[in-house]
């Protein structure tokens, strides 16, 4: 809309300039707002601001698009922690083993769910928990 408004006030050969500047800026802004930092290290899983110590991880399941859709739909549990991006097809389900926490699992969307699962299991093994 901003490009169209500027376009209406401009004349001549430079009428394309607002579109060349504003549209890429909007696309970059949407990309920046849609990004999410997922990291494994220091004995914890960090998803944006949320942190999960790996000592509470009981297991990890790699989810494809069909499994992700099922787990976020009919099979969803109300206390699950979910961070999903609809345009990312894969996800990881992190099963929890913490009696003090009512959260049964985390679902985190990831472009490389197999690498995230392997990193979680490696970090858990390094922290001294097996299984």
């Amino acid at each position: 809309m901003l490009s169209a408004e500027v376009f209406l006030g401009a004349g001549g050969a430079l009428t394309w300039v607002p579109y060349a500047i504003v549209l890429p800026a909007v696309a970059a802004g949407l990309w920046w707002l849609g990004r999410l930092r997922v990291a494994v290290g220091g004995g914890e899983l960090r998803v944006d601001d949320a942190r999960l110590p790996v000592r509470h991880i009981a297991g990890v399941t790699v989810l494809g698009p069909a499994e992700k859709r099922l787990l976020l739909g009919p099979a969803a549990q109300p206390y699950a922690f979910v961070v999903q991006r609809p345009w990312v097809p894969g996800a990881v389900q992190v099963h929890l083993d913490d009696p003090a926490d009512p959260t049964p699992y985390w679902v985190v969307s990831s472009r490389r769910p197999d690498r995230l699962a392997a990193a979680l299991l490696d970090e858990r093994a390094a922290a001294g928990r097996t299984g």
Side-chain angles (χ1 to χ4, degrees), residues 33-54:
L33 289 172
R35 68 188 177 102
L36 181 67
R37 183 144 177 96
V38 177
V40 178
E44 63 185 9
L45 165 65
R46 292 182 303 277
V47 180
D48 207 18
D49 293 336
R51 295 173 182 263
L52 174 66
V54 293

Side-chain angles (χ1 to χ4, degrees), residues 59-130:
V60 180
T61 304
V62 175
L63 304 173
E67 294 91 1
K68 179 182 169 185
R69 186 173 29 257
L70 179 68
L71 196 59
L72 296 177
Q77 293 195 9
Y79 291 122
F81 178 79
V82 177
V83 177
Q84 72 100 15
R85 295 163 288 177
W87 58 90
V88 177
V92 171
Q93 180 183 17
V94 181
H95 307 277
L96 303 183
D97 181 23
D98 184 7
D101 188 1
T103 306
Y105 56 84
W106 283 26
V107 176
V108 179
S109 63
S110 173
R111 288 185 178 89
R112 296 182 245 6
D114 50 345
R115 287 179 51 190
L116 178 58
L120 284 169
L121 294 175
D122 290 345
E123 189 71 22
R124 183 182 68 168
R129 179 172 178 169
T130 59

